[in-house]
Amino acid sequence: MEVTNVTEYDAIAKEKLPKMVYDYYASGAEDQWTLQENRNAFARILFRPRILIDVTKIDMTTTVLGFKISMPIMIAPTAMQKMAHPEGEYATARAASSAGTIMTLSSWATSSVEEVASTGPGIRFFQLYVYKDRNVVAQLVRRAERAGFKAIALTVDTPRLGRREADIKNRFTLPPYLTLKNFEGLDLGKMDEANDSGLASYVAGQIDRSLSWKDVKWLQTITKMPILVKGVITAEDTRLAIQAGAAGIIVSNHGARQLDYVPATIMALEEVVKAAQGRVPVFLDGGVRRGTDVFKALALGASGIFIGRPVVFSLAAEGEAGVKKVLQMLREEFELTMALSGCRSISEITRNHISTDWDAPRAQFAPRL
């Protein structure tokens, strides 16, 4: 059966992967309300297309932190990709590079920053978890910078791991033949089995719960790479992030895997964009499965979006070719949405191209009698 949209890879991955692995990628926190809402919220945003515009040529290119990319669709950090496919992060890196877009490598990757860099050219960001041992952090950041990574995506919503009940039931742990490659030499690359989730125990032991805004400033003293703060969903934290020197913000609820009953990211986006006042770019991840979703995010003020689960599911199904196909399908759908909305470039996508539940009623013109 030919795959014709991104969502279809979910079922294929479910069939192919061991239950523990699929559940780790697929599940959200607790009741998984936010997991559903990340998707459902997109359906409450409708289009106001403009017609009779010459859409012969559509330009989807954009720049992110000064780097030119082919489209505003990028790859979010997802952990332990070799659980999905033997080539793991190598395959994802090659797919991103061939699509002309950015890949974000997870701190908890099963391939190291050096290994991913060795796949060839490409614009890559590094997602950072801050460990209790700051020397580990400094070393990792230096290695990413040396390996040619261009930015840090600092995850700020995980002082503790969210309660993911599938992982507890499955006693999730990293398969013994894999390691968290970036930490291999530091004796932090293995995950012990636990009475609940092995990952939750690992986080409790290693990740710093005291992380605060001063650490965002500290990071800037140890690297020249710009810092994107990932996991902001309020106006208050947007202002603090900018004050702390963030180069950009990623509106994210961690794929609905941390605090359940936070809003869908597409619902939190406009609040963050308004608070940022154009001082830094704002990006979104969470729930993007269609080109229409990408357009809606941009219409609400995002500078680009990141996809997570579609990458690991397509990777599980078809390896590098699967990830390439996901990027290609989203690209084609987004281009079509632009054309049918009357937008020829990213800069032509405006708030007037969509309508939402929370819009003020539009002025109705009185009919001529």
Side-chain angles (χ1 to χ4, degrees), residues 187-209:
D187 275 347
L188 295 168
K190 283 290 182 199
M191 207 175 287
D192 299 324
E193 295 201 14
N195 289 330
D196 48 12
S197 154
L199 184 62
S201 301
Y202 180 87
V203 168
Q206 302 301 336
I207 302 303
D208 194 346
R209 295 184 184 185

Side-chain angles (χ1 to χ4, degrees), residues 8 86 103 150 153 175 193 211 219 223 230 235 237 244 266 272 287 292 295 342 363 369:
E8 287 173 354
M103 171 197 184
K150 301 298 185 211
E193 295 201 14
L211 190 69
L219 264 180
T223 181
K230 177 179 184 283
D237 283 334
I266 194 69
V272 171
T292 49
F295 187 100
L369 297 175

Side-chain angles (χ1 to χ4, degrees), residues 17-26 80 83-84 170 172 175 177:
L17 292 170
K19 180 174 162 56
M20 179 189 80
V21 171
Y22 173 79
D23 286 355
Y24 169 71
Y25 290 143
M80 308 176 230
M83 294 195 307
N170 295 331
F172 173 81
Y177 58 91

